[in-house]
């Protein structure tokens, strides 16, 4: 089954209808209408390839990993470590050992803020974040700055939702320890110029953490070409299961960093006098990990890599462009976030209707979108908006689904502007 | 529009478009701010009391149609009522928006507020419908306060 899925992805051109068949959750009705799932920035649906891999693990290989001498434990360990190679290939990381499994982007950033923060931050040192960031790339840094006596500074954006690189240049100095920036914004879709930012930060002697939560399922992720020092993403936004994610870090930094959590698996020897720690990545993987999640993540990234990536990106760009056109034509609708370089995310507000009402009325027509502050309250404040409605696309969405969204929004306009 | 009318009844749309008692009371006997952090709704409720009875009640703020209409219709429903009557009405209102959809509201006691009975089919919207009421209770109980739906 899985190979068949993969084979035809490899061979064939990018055929959305056939891709949709791999995602069983898409084939359902909601409130009597065919589901139109446009909340992919929150989490994507999962292909059978992932579900089958996880089921196969639990039905055939389930055992705890490492240290086990029995066959199942060996198979589980192999599958777990094999997935690390898949992740390495997916991110073009230099070394398997630089791939650290975590719960998700949030845990990855907390790990870096806490562990790297303890060696890089202190009084007089600064962390730079941006106005675009998700709370997951703000709050851990606030906590670390408080703990280590460092200062948090915020890089501003333009009204279109682009980072002000000129201002960033002026903010960087020998005091800057860390620049933490999203690869792509979950609220507006803006893709940030990561290579440029890394070059600027490195000139100032700062390390760069990239929050790749929104990029991993949609853009090429090549940590060597990006030039960053840490890269974090969540499996569940890239066709994989929830509860598993990845932190990639440069070996030279990971080696210097103290462990994040203590427990089993992360130690070499334990005595009450002195405990010694495992090498990277074991040092950062305390306790029994989400083994089935790792296997599902590996399967998800295999699936993505087997797709024609160029065609997939072109398809998502087409959806973005088409949705931007269709939605902009609706009376009283304003698209929020108009940076030239975006992933498939359209945030918008409507004159007559609050985002919350837009979301409910869309749902009544089977269209799933997200409404609210998108875990980016400082960004909403910057834009002077309490909330937006957001449609976000993935490889399996279609122009017909954009039409369904536009129709639903026309109904919203009719209902609320009518008198 | 019939498929939306369960929730977005004409009376709700009307109060959303033209909220009643949408003004500030200077030097009120009580006021409170209510937040719904989930959707960014924020409202302030002002009350003036005449002994134990609500003499005047108004609100200000921004929010979705459900929360705005609920606030507007609440101000109309509770004017002249005693604190106990307000609390009893809210209990009933709350049961109506959270209960089994088949439990029909007592239209006689609920009056226009019965328009919100459709909310119970939309659990994500219960907080929108009850925000103004929670805020009102804080205003008439303590005279001031901040409440949140979270
Ligand atoms: C840009 C961004 N960063 C971080 C996160 C947090 O990801 P997770 O909740 O999977 O840890 C998200 C998810 O919403 C996100 O969109």
């Amino acid at each position: 089954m899985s190979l068949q899925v993969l084979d035809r992805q490899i061979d064939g051109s990018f055929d959305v209808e056939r891709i949709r068949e791999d995602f069983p959750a898409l084939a359902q009705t909601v409130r009597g209408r065919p589901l139109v799932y446009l909340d992919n920035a929150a989490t994507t649906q999962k292909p059978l390839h992932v579900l089958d891999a996880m089921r196969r693990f639990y039905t055939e290989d389930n055992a705890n990993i490492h240290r086990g001498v029995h066959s199942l434990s060996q198979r589980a360990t192999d599958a777990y470590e094999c997935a690390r190679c898949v992740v390495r290939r997916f991110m073009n990381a230099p070394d398997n050992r630089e791939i650290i499994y975590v719960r998700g982007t949030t845990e990855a950033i907390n790990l870096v803020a806490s562990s790297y923060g303890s060696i890089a931050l202190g009084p007089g040192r600064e962390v730079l974040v941006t106005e675009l960031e998700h709370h997951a790339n703000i709050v851990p840094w606030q906590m670390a700055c408080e703990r280590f006596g460092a200062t948090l500074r915020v890089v501003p954006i333009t009204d279109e939702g682009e980072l002000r690189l000129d201002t960033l240049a002026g903010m960087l100095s020998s005091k800057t320890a860390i620049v933490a920036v999203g690869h792509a914004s979950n609220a507006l879709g803006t893709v940030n110029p990561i290579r440029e930012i890394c070059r600027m930060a490195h000139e100032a002697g700062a390390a760069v953490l990239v929050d790749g939560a929104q990029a991993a399922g949609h853009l090429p992720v090549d940590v060597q070409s990006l030039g960053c020092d840490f890269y974090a993403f969540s499996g569940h936004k890239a066709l994989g299961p929830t509860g598993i994610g990845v932190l990639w870090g440069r070996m030279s930094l990971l080696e210097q960093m103290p462990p994040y959590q203590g427990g089993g698996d992360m130690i070499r020897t334990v005595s009450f006098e002195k405990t010694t720690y495992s090498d990277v990545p074991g040092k950062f993987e305390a306790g029994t990990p989400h083994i089935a999640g790792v296997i599902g993540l590996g399967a998800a990234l295999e699936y993505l890599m087997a797709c024609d990536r160029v065609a997939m990106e072109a398809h998502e760009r087409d959806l973005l462009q088409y949705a931007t056109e269709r939605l902009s034509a609706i009376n009283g609708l304003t698209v929020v976030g108009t940076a030239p370089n975006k992933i498939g995310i359209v945030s918008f507000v409507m004159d007559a209707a609050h985002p919350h009402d837009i979301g409910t009325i869309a749902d009544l027509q089977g269209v799933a979108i997200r409404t609210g502050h998108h875990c980016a309250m400082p960004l909403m404040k910057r834009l002077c908006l309490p909330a937006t409605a957001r449609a976000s696309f993935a490889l399996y969405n279609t122009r017909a689904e954009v039409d369904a969204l536009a129709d639903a929004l026309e109904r919203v306009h009719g209902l609320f502007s009518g008198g | 529009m019939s498929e939306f009318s369960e929730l977005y009844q004409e009376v709700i749309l009307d109060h959303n478009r033209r909220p009643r008692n949408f003004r500030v009371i200077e030097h009120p006997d009580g006021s409170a701010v209510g937040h719904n952090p989930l959707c960014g709704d924020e409202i302030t409720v002002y009350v003036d009391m005449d002994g134990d009875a609500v003499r005047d009640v108004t609100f200000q703020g921004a929010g979705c149609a459900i929360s705005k209409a609920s606030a507007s219709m609440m101000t109309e429903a509770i004017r002249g009522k005693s604190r106990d009557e307000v609390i009893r009405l809210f209990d009933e209102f709350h049961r109506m928006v959270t209960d089994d959809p088949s439990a029909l509201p007592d239209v006689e006691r609920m009056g226009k507020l019965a328009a919100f009975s459709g909310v119970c089919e939309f659990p994500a919207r219960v907080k929108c419908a009850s925000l103004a009421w929670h805020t009102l209770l804080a205003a008439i109980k303590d005279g001031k306060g901040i409440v949140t739906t979270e």
Side-chain angles (χ1 to χ4, degrees):
Chain A
M1 46 93 264
S2 59
L3 277 179
Q4 240 173 0
V5 168
L6 290 179
D7 280 349
R8 69 171 163 72
Q9 303 289 343
I10 292 164
D11 299 341
S13 62
F14 190 81
D15 181 345
V16 182
E17 288 312 320
R18 292 178 76 179
I19 284 175
R20 290 180 70 84
E21 289 168 12
D22 296 336
F23 293 80
L26 296 177
Q28 63 179 296
T29 55
V30 166
R31 298 190 189 269
R33 306 286 191 92
L35 167 66
V36 174
Y37 186 78
L38 301 179
D39 194 17
N40 294 289
T43 199
T44 59
Q45 299 302 340
K46 323 303 175 196
L48 278 169
H49 183 60
V50 168
L51 307 178
D52 288 344
M54 294 176 77
R55 184 183 159 86
R56 195 164 53 244
F57 169 72
Y58 276 130
T59 50
E60 296 172 17
D61 303 332
N62 178 53
N64 210 329
I65 52 164
H66 300 147
R67 301 177 311 278
V69 293
H70 61 80
S71 302
L72 264 60
S73 174
Q74 195 54 54
R75 294 210 296 263
T77 305
D78 288 349
Y80 182 82
E81 292 304 330
C82 207
R84 219 188 284 277
C85 308
V86 175
V87 179
R88 187 203 65 73
R89 265 196 297 129
F90 177 76
M91 310 179 79
N92 191 30
D95 189 332
N96 283 337
R97 294 172 303 158
E98 294 171 327
I99 305 297
I100 297 162
Y101 294 129
V102 290
R103 275 194 298 134
T105 309
T106 303
E107 189 175 51
I109 298 174
N110 275 278
L111 190 161
V112 176
S114 178
S115 171
Y116 185 66
S118 75
I119 57 174
L121 296 180
R125 306 289 286 159
E126 294 177 352
V127 177
L128 304 192
V129 297
T130 85
E131 283 181 329
L132 280 174
E133 300 315 305
H134 186 281
H135 295 163
N137 202 23
I138 299 174
V139 182
W141 300 112
Q142 283 177 321
M143 290 164 64
C145 284
E146 187 161 323
R147 183 166 149 207
F148 304 119
T151 305
L152 186 71
R153 299 183 66 196
V154 184
V155 183
I157 56 168
T158 64
D159 292 342
E160 290 70 39
E162 277 195 285
L163 278 188
R164 299 278 309 261
L165 286 194
D166 50 341
T167 315
L168 169 64
M171 293 171 77
L172 285 164
S173 76
S174 58
K175 292 188 207 159
T176 316
I178 300 164
V179 177
V181 60
H183 196 166
S185 154
N186 67 307
L188 304 184
T190 313
V191 177
N192 289 317
I194 298 299
R195 285 165 78 161
E196 177 75 357
I197 292 168
C198 290
R199 195 187 51 69
M200 292 163 70
H202 288 161
E203 255 169 41
V208 178
L209 173 134
V210 178
D211 170 352
Q214 290 301 332
H218 310 280
L219 297 174
V221 175
D222 179 333
V223 293
Q224 298 192 59
S225 135
L226 290 171
C228 56
D229 302 285
F230 298 101
Y231 195 99
F233 73 92
S234 303
H236 71 96
K237 294 182 199 278
L239 315 186
T242 54
I244 188 70
V246 169
L247 170 67
W248 169 83
R250 261 180 218 289
M251 184 56 80
S252 57
L253 299 180
L254 294 175
E255 276 172 340
Q256 297 170 47
M257 288 159 55
Y260 176 53
Q261 294 178 329
D265 256 351
M266 54 74 73
I267 49 85
R268 182 169 293 129
T269 62
V270 175
S271 72
F272 284 112
E273 290 70 40
K274 173 132 188 77
T275 290
T276 57
Y277 304 125
S278 308
D279 290 331
V280 176
K283 180 167 78 170
F284 296 109
E285 293 180 359
T288 300
H290 184 9
I291 305 166
V294 164
I295 285 156
L297 171 69
L301 300 185
E302 271 176 357
Y303 185 95
L304 274 172
M305 286 190 282
C307 284
D308 179 341
R309 295 290 296 228
V310 173
M312 176 183 123
E313 278 167 51
H315 173 70
E316 292 185 23
R317 252 198 319 278
D318 175 67
L319 292 175
L320 170 67
Q321 203 179 342
Y322 184 58
T324 306
E325 264 167 41
R326 290 262 358 224
L327 268 53
S328 303
I330 294 170
N331 242 326
L333 186 150
T334 308
V335 172
V336 181
T338 50
N341 193 5
K342 283 176 51 167
I343 53 168
I345 286 180
V346 183
S347 234
F348 58 94
V349 291
M350 294 177 80
D351 284 349
H354 186 280
H356 223 168
D357 300 311
I358 301 172
T360 295
I361 292 169
D363 180 57
L364 284 168
Q365 295 167 87
V367 180
I369 58 173
R370 186 147 293 247
T371 64
H373 54 58
H374 314 296
C375 292
M377 289 170 94
L379 174 63
M380 293 294 125
K381 190 171 167 200
R382 162 65 179 80
L383 300 169
C384 303
L385 295 169
T388 73
R390 177 190 75 187
S392 53
F393 304 105
L395 72 167
Y396 43 65
N397 290 123
T398 64
R399 277 188 169 223
E401 290 181 308
V402 173
D403 290 333
L405 169 68
D407 290 350
L409 298 177
E410 292 282 9
R411 306 289 297 272
V412 172
H413 178 72
L415 190 64
F416 281 89
S417 66
Chain B
M1 293 299 161
S2 57
E3 78 253 52
F4 313 132
S5 59
E6 203 49 29
L7 184 60
Y8 292 99
Q9 299 197 13
E10 191 46 49
V11 59
I12 290 180
L13 293 173
D14 177 55
H15 276 260
N16 173 51
R17 270 194 296 270
R18 296 184 301 118
R20 321 297 198 268
N21 300 307
F22 191 67
R23 59 188 159 83
V24 178
I25 298 178
E26 301 292 343
H27 314 296
D29 290 334
S31 70
V33 182
H35 288 287
N36 184 346
L38 211 65
C39 48
D41 290 356
E42 177 172 328
I43 89 161
T44 308
V45 173
Y46 305 89
V47 282
D48 256 347
M49 303 297 288
D50 183 0
D52 192 44
V54 175
R55 180 173 42 209
D56 193 12
V57 52
T58 69
F59 79 105
Q60 285 273 279
C64 63
I66 302 298
S67 74
K68 214 158 155 195
S70 174
S72 172
M73 288 162 73
M74 173 190 82
T75 61
E76 291 197 317
I78 63 157
R79 190 173 305 239
K81 291 205 161 38
S82 71
R83 282 187 170 84
D84 279 351
E85 285 170 334
V86 168
I87 290 168
R88 269 204 304 279
L89 189 59
F90 173 53
D91 276 350
E92 214 163 325
F93 179 83
H94 197 260
R95 242 177 295 128
M96 176 181 76
V97 295
T98 50
D99 265 9
D100 180 340
S102 61
L104 288 172
D106 182 336
V107 176
E108 198 150 322
R109 272 206 305 281
M110 296 307 286
K112 279 194 199 168
L113 296 179
F116 289 96
S117 61
V119 171
C120 61
E121 289 195 47
F122 301 84
R125 309 305 302 274
V126 170
K127 285 173 176 175
C128 310
S130 44
L131 177 64
W133 287 89
H134 286 294
T135 312
L136 168 76
L137 290 197
I140 62 173
K141 265 194 196 135
D142 324 328
K144 60 179 181 299
I146 292 185
V147 299
T148 125
T149 57
E150 290 303 290

